[in-house]
């Protein structure tokens, strides 16, 4: 990748994302957003100011889907590619089930950036709430700008579902909606800019959020490829120039539609959407079924996603498709209504629009609400007049293009009347057709979108603080990811009697670290909570370290802003049941809970006399309840119950994995038995000269150095012994 030009990462995590033959409509997660981000990536990569665009999505290995979704890197163009990151297992799961795995996605994207990307992205752009969460976390880690595009927003969706009679509990069971709304609130507050497609989207969706006043919006409508979605009359004016592939696709579509229609020569009404109740397919079929005149004028074709067996689909899709069949039967629409089972968005959909336009038909989007309406501008570009909902983006599209009629989607008679008005008035049809073609080329092409987006990125980058050359003492917690991605060495040390104890040696050590800040990051590992860590460091005039491993390895923080590592938190939560642990140990009268300050989310702390029988009793009680835990007893009185994955040593190994530090490039320093577990292993272990004799049995172990010098002087001696800064 070139070091000149913008490096942009786009995040669209859920759904089946690939470069060719998009499976739009396969399920609720494979909708217009997939097409949007793929075309956006290609378009941005064409901009001369851009060096590389990565569209980052989830890697899937599942026999029920194509092998392409398991391909780690898929090229889209010379400067654009799809990057797939595994999280949440290998199988394809719906987006609502991915929420608990997003911190894993963040961690593995960090590894990709450090190992494979070659440079830190200049911008992180999240799409939908899950992509916004990941992009926001990464932007925070690297101190980079963060853009967000919502596509649809959770609070608006929840209000609609409540108005339709669904209970709050049921909505959360299906969609985890309150969790999503909480993420969206944080995104509104943290994003440098929020890109929307329409003003209506801002006014109707984003104003529902508490953090709306804190957000900064920028309207940039999406584009389409007008070469792919060219007007229907191209083929009529230059029939000999049509490719054999186009003619074959047209014949295939005609054969498929003619399977359903008795009178295939009539104009037809076309709808193209996912089988979702919010798309209001029921309203369209009802309007057609109740209007005999409309049935006489035109046929109806509804392409509602891709299906094989309705009985095996998700509940929402299954209910919608079943309702379609029941309505078809109720209104006796056999011979008039076509409901094909599949279509190819890359080759068949553009030809489908042109086929409908060639019949002098009309395209209908009757959705209850439509955030934008990409299919509307695709249809318009092909010269097909539109009828669309008055709730959402279509108001802007028809306002810009003057190519159709807005309707109330809840009024079936109004839908039918709008279709009739266009179908029977050839002069109006021609005017809408021409205006749509011209309007799309003026307002909705990808080059215009990309130009505006790159201008916005450059503006946001100019507003960011300069992170190029910060000293050890002025990082201010911003962009710690830039440091940890760039350096090759990591020093972790205990505080008491290791880092502190010799003021002169401590000053010398800090000077060494500052002079080598481009090569080494450093941190502390301690049993203290993070507040007491900062108090102890301030007492000895030690600047905030890059990393703090606190509360006996149960918490990891970065920089002076103490940004918590959520990936580590998620890692520890596995099989951790603190309420059951407290309940189990409540009857042991030899245990006394420590002060509230010592109790943490992943640390339950007691005072206990040093008695082997007491320790055995704790183990026996927890094991009898089959609880997972890690027990640590120190200083003959402090008993900590931690998650089985937690410890200072395991936290260091997690950092090694996350930030791609080889263990031999990590130096760990300590003085007491509390440090033994983190000193062991393949790191460069250093025991300072004033060590407790309980560490004596470590002498002679591979990669374990016992210094004769004490406190920070022992750390400096360890650096020299391992030639730690020479590699």
């Amino acid at each position: 990748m070139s070091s000149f030009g913008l490096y942009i990462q786009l995040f669209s995590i859920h759904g089946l994302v690939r470069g060719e033959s998009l499976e739009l409509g396969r399920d609720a997660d494979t909708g217009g957003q997939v097409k949007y981000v793929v075309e956006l990536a290609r378009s941005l990569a064409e901009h001369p100011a851009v060096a590389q665009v990565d569209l980052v999505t989830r890697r899937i290995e599942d026999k029920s889907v194509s092998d392409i979704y398991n391909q780690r890197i898929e090229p889209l163009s010379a400067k654009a590619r799809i990057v797939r990151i595994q999280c949440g297992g290998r199988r394809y799961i719906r987006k609502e089930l991915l929420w608990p795995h997003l911190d894993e996605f963040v961690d593995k994207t960090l590894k990709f950036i450090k190992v494979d990307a070659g440079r830190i992205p200049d911008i992180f752009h999240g799409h939908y709430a899950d992509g916004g969460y990941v992009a926001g976390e990464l932007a925070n880690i690297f101190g980079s700008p963060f853009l967000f595009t919502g596509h649809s927003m959770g609070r608006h969706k929840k209000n609609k579902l409540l108005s339709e009679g669904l209970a709050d509990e049921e909505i959360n069971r299906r969609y985890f909606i309150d969790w999503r709304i909480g993420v969206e609130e944080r995104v509104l507050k943290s994003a440098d800019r929020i890109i929307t497609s329409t003003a209506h989207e801002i006014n109707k969706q984003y104003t529902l959020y508490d953090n709306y006043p804190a957000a900064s919006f920028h309207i940039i409508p999406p584009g389409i490829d007008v070469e792919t979605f060219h007007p229907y009359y191209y083929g009529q004016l230059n029939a000999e120039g049509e490719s054999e592939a186009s003619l074959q696709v047209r014949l295939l579509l005609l054969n498929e539609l003619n399977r359903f229609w008795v009178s295939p020569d009539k104009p037809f009404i076309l709808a193209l959407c996912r089988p979702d109740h919010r798309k209001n397919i029921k309203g369209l079929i009802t309007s057609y079924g109740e209007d005999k005149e409309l049935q006489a004028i035109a046929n109806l074709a509804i392409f509602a996603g891709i299906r094989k067996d309705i009985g095996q689909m998700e509940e929402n899709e299954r209910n919608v498709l079943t309702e379609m069949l029941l309505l078809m039967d109720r209104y006796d629409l056999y011979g008039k209504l076509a409901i094909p089972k599949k279509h190819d968005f890359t080759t068949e959909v553009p030809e489908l629009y042109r086929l409908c336009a060639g019949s002098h038909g009309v395209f209908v989007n009757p959705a209850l609400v439509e955030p934008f309406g990409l299919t509307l501008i695709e249809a318009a570009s092909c010269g097909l007049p539109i009828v669309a909902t008055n709730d959402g983006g279509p108001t802007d599209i028809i306002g810009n293009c003057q190519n159709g009629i807005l309707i109330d989607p809840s009024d079936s008679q109004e839908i039918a009347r709008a279709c009739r008005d266009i179908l029977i008035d050839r002069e109006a049809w021609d005017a809408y057709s021409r205006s749509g073609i011209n309007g799309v080329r003026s307002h909705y092409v990808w080059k215009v979108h990309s130009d505006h987006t790159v201008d916005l990125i450059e503006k946001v980058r100019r507003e960011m603080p300069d992170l190029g050359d910060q000293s050890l003492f002025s990082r201010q917690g911003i962009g710690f990811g830039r440091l940890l991605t760039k350096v090759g060495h990591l020093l972790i040390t205990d505080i008491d009697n290791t880092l502190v104890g010799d003021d002169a040696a401590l000053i010398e050590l800090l000077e060494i670290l500052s002079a080598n800040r481009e090569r080494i990051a450093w941190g502390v590992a301690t049993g203290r909570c993070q507040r007491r860590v900062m108090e102890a460091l301030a007492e000895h005039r030690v600047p905030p370290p890059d990393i703090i491993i606190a509360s006996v390895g149960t918490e990891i923080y970065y920089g002076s802003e103490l940004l918590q590592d959520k990936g580590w938190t998620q890692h520890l939560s596995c099989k951790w049941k603190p309420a059951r642990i407290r309940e189990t140990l409540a009857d042991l009268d030899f245990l006394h809970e420590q002060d509230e300050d010592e109790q943490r989310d992943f640390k339950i702390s007691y005072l206990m006399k040093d008695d082997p029988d007491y320790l055995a009793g704790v183990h026996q009680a927890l094991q009898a309840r089959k609880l997972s835990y890690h027990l640590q007893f120190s200083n003959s009185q402090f008993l900590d119950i931690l998650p089985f994955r937690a410890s200072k040593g395991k936290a260091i190994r997690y950092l090694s994995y996350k930030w791609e530090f080889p263990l031999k490039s990590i130096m760990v320093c300590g003085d007491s038995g509390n440090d033994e577990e983190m000193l062991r292993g393949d790191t460069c272990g250093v025991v300072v000269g004033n060590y407790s004799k309980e560490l004596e049995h470590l002498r002679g172990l591979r990669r374990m150095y016992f210094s004769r010098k004490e406190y920070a002087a022992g750390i400096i001696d360890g650096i020299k012994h391992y030639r730690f800064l020479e590699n």
Side-chain angles (χ1 to χ4, degrees), residues 120-323:
I120 296 169
D122 295 295
I123 197 86
F124 295 94
H125 186 175
H127 293 263
Y128 190 76
D130 50 13
Y133 176 86
V134 170
E137 290 293 303
L138 290 166
N140 203 18
I141 287 170
F142 288 108
S144 298
F146 166 35
L147 302 182
F148 176 65
T149 300
H151 296 277
S152 67
M153 298 297 288
R155 198 176 292 280
H156 188 263
K157 177 177 180 176
K158 181 177 182 178
N159 290 346
K160 284 285 184 180
L161 294 173
L162 288 171
S163 69
E164 293 167 14
L166 266 70
D168 191 279
E169 183 178 342
E170 176 64 13
I171 295 171
N172 273 294
R173 184 188 70 81
R174 289 190 195 178
Y175 304 110
F176 295 80
I177 202 76
D178 287 343
W179 191 349
R180 172 183 170 184
I181 289 169
V183 168
E184 290 168 337
E185 285 282 14
R186 293 195 295 274
V187 165
L188 261 65
K189 195 172 183 179
S190 61
D192 293 285
R193 293 292 190 281
I194 295 172
I195 296 177
T196 69
S197 298
T198 65
H200 184 278
E201 187 180 343
I202 300 173
N203 297 330
K204 292 295 185 179
Q205 296 202 51
Y206 287 96
T207 53
L208 301 175
Y209 288 79
D210 295 338
N211 286 329
Y212 163 74
S216 179
F217 298 94
H218 203 87
I219 300 171
I220 310 178
I224 62 168
D225 178 0
V226 293
E227 296 299 320
T228 299
F229 295 95
H230 60 258
Y232 73 98
Y233 50 72
Y234 279 19
Q236 297 176 359
L237 297 176
N238 185 25
E240 294 182 0
E242 283 204 83
S243 69
E244 196 64 36
S246 295
L247 295 172
Q248 290 174 3
V249 169
R250 186 179 306 169
L251 179 62
L252 181 68
L253 288 169
L254 285 171
N255 289 340
E256 180 67 15
L257 292 169
N258 290 346
R259 290 175 54 213
F260 295 92
W261 293 334
V262 171
S263 304
D265 295 332
K266 291 193 294 187
F268 67 95
I269 301 163
L270 173 64
L272 184 68
C273 61
R274 291 184 288 107
D276 187 305
H277 71 278
R278 292 169 297 170
K279 298 301 183 181
N280 194 30
I281 299 173
K282 174 184 177 180
L284 175 58
I285 297 178
T286 300
S287 70
Y288 183 76
E290 292 179 347
D291 194 313
K292 297 297 182 182
E293 182 183 356
L294 187 58
Q295 292 177 40
I297 295 171
N299 293 314
L300 176 60
I302 300 177
F303 287 75
I306 301 169
R307 65 187 187 277
K308 291 182 179 179
D309 183 349
I310 293 176
Q312 295 181 2
M313 300 185 75
E314 292 281 347
E315 182 181 5
N316 181 32
E317 290 91 336
R318 182 172 67 248
N319 291 343
V320 170
L321 290 164
T322 300
E323 186 175 51

Side-chain angles (χ1 to χ4, degrees), residues 158 323 327 340 454 484 669:
K158 181 177 182 178
E323 186 175 51
L327 288 169
V454 170
L484 296 179
C669 308

Side-chain angles (χ1 to χ4, degrees), residues 36 40 43-44 125 127 147-151 193-202 216-224 371-372 374 377 396 400 443-460:
Y36 180 108
L40 173 62
S43 177
L44 286 171
H125 186 175
H127 293 263
L147 302 182
F148 176 65
T149 300
H151 296 277
R193 293 292 190 281
I194 295 172
I195 296 177
T196 69
S197 298
T198 65
H200 184 278
E201 187 180 343
I202 300 173
S216 179
F217 298 94
H218 203 87
I219 300 171
I220 310 178
I224 62 168
F372 180 67
L374 193 59
I377 59 175
D396 283 23
N400 287 329
H443 298 280
Y444 302 108
V445 292
W446 275 118
K447 185 180 184 307
V448 173
H449 181 101
S450 297
D451 287 345
H452 286 315
T453 300
V454 170
D455 288 346
L456 179 63
I457 290 171
E458 295 288 17
K459 181 179 181 181
V460 170

Side-chain angles (χ1 to χ4, degrees), residues 409-604:
S410 65
D411 188 335
S412 60
Q413 293 184 0
E414 188 174 332
I415 296 173
R417 184 166 55 251
C419 291
R420 284 201 315 273
D421 289 348
I422 294 175
L423 290 166
I424 64 177
D425 187 341
R426 182 59 184 273
E427 188 174 327
W429 191 98
D430 287 337
Y432 285 140
S433 177
R434 288 193 301 271
S435 187
I437 293 168
N438 296 332
V440 167
R441 281 150 180 74
S442 298
H443 298 280
Y444 302 108
V445 292
W446 275 118
K447 185 180 184 307
V448 173
H449 181 101
S450 297
D451 287 345
H452 286 315
T453 300
V454 170
D455 288 346
L456 179 63
I457 290 171
E458 295 288 17
K459 181 179 181 181
V460 170
R461 290 183 72 216
R462 288 194 295 270
E463 296 170 357
M464 295 294 291
D466 183 11
L467 301 174
D469 184 22
Q470 301 180 71
S471 74
L472 178 71
F473 306 98
S474 64
R475 289 186 185 123
Q476 301 179 338
I478 299 175
F480 64 87
R482 294 177 180 270
L483 172 76
L484 296 179
T485 302
K486 179 171 57 176
V487 300
H489 298 78
L490 176 63
L491 169 67
I492 299 292
T493 173
D494 184 28
I495 298 177
D496 296 308
N497 299 315
T498 304
L499 181 67
V500 300
D502 180 339
D503 291 344
L506 175 60
I507 292 172
E508 182 183 353
L509 174 63
L510 293 176
E511 288 174 350
I512 291 171
L513 294 174
S514 182
N516 290 276
R517 63 182 178 272
E518 299 297 323
R519 305 176 61 201
I520 185 170
W522 77 284
V524 296
T526 174
R528 287 187 174 97
C529 67
Q530 53 89 359
R531 178 177 63 82
R532 293 186 176 179
V533 171
M534 298 306 292
E535 289 173 354
L537 294 177
E539 180 183 348
H540 293 276
R541 298 183 180 180
V542 177
D546 304 305
I547 298 171
I548 295 174
I549 300 172
S551 300
V552 203
T554 61
E555 298 167 3
I556 299 175
Y557 298 91
Y558 299 102
S560 62
E561 291 189 351
L562 299 175
L563 299 173
Q564 190 166 9
D565 191 314
K566 296 179 181 178
W568 181 238
T569 300
Q570 182 65 37
H571 180 71
L572 295 187
S573 64
C574 178
K575 299 182 180 180
W576 175 240
K577 299 177 181 178
R580 289 189 63 192
I581 291 173
R582 286 190 170 93
E583 177 188 339
T584 300
L585 300 181
D587 295 333
L588 301 183
D589 56 9
F590 54 81
L591 291 181
H592 306 281
E593 286 199 16
Q594 293 184 37
D595 294 342
E596 187 175 344
D597 281 354
E598 295 300 327
Q599 311 299 333
R600 310 294 292 176
D601 290 342
F602 295 98
K603 182 170 79 76
I604 303 171

Side-chain angles (χ1 to χ4, degrees), residues 50 52 93 135 228 259 323 435 486 491 578 614 633 635 675 700:
V50 173
Q52 178 70 39
I93 56 178
T228 299
R259 290 175 54 213
E323 186 175 51
S435 187
K486 179 171 57 176
L491 169 67
Y614 288 170
F633 186 59
N635 294 91
D675 304 320

